[in-house]
Amino acid sequence: MTTRDSWRAWASGRKAPRITDWLREISEPDWSATVHHPLFDDLATGRLEGERFAAYMVQDYGFVDPFTALIGHAIGHAPSMADRVVLGQFMGMLTSDENSTFQRTFEAFGVSARADHLPATRDFRHLLHEVGMGGQASASGRYAEILAVLVVTEWLYLAWATRISRTEGLHPLMGEWIDLHDNPDFQAFVDWLRQRLDEEAAGLDDTDFSRMAERFRETVAKELAFHDAVHPCR
């Protein structure tokens, strides 16, 4: 399912097929289950109590450090200055605007960011660390693997944030969390990530291509497991 031959068979006869669309399709049903997770509907409609929102944010904050490190690895392995500029700008947003939302949420709800991580959070942190450290992939394959993880994490968040319809009177910090993932700049970044993964994946050898595709599916599965863990109502 994750081989180049599978991709070619899927692409055959399609108009303007994209590798990232194929990756999303082979990651079903986990992809759609994450995008349509009840957590986001409860968040948007105000049914998510402040304590549960804060607990969710504490767990999500557990990804910020290893995720920032992963972006650093992406910058180091990027094949061009153009890529480094875009990734560096995203890291700047993550360590400023997004980090600020986390910190003000913890302060507002009186929680500590040092709370214990759930097993699903620890599993996802391990994935981010593992991908950042590389492995047997070639230089181009390693960059594509990192891009695959970044595409999943950012595209999924864009998808749920643009799907939901928020209610009036939502807590400002909940609205801010949604806004971070539903704005033109973030849309443009996700578009760029997808385009770069499409381009990088096309040039991989068969082994690195399969490894990249498997990493994409694994990341989607861990996203679903994480959201099920922080909001166990499925």
Side-chain angles (χ1 to χ4, degrees), residues 53 107 177:
F53 174 66
E107 182 179 356
W177 182 244

Side-chain angles (χ1 to χ4, degrees), residues 37 59 118-121 223-234:
H37 201 281
Q59 294 300 315
L118 297 170
T121 305
E223 282 279 10
L224 178 58
F226 168 74
H227 287 93
D228 279 348
V230 296
H231 197 64
C233 60
R234 293 170 52 78

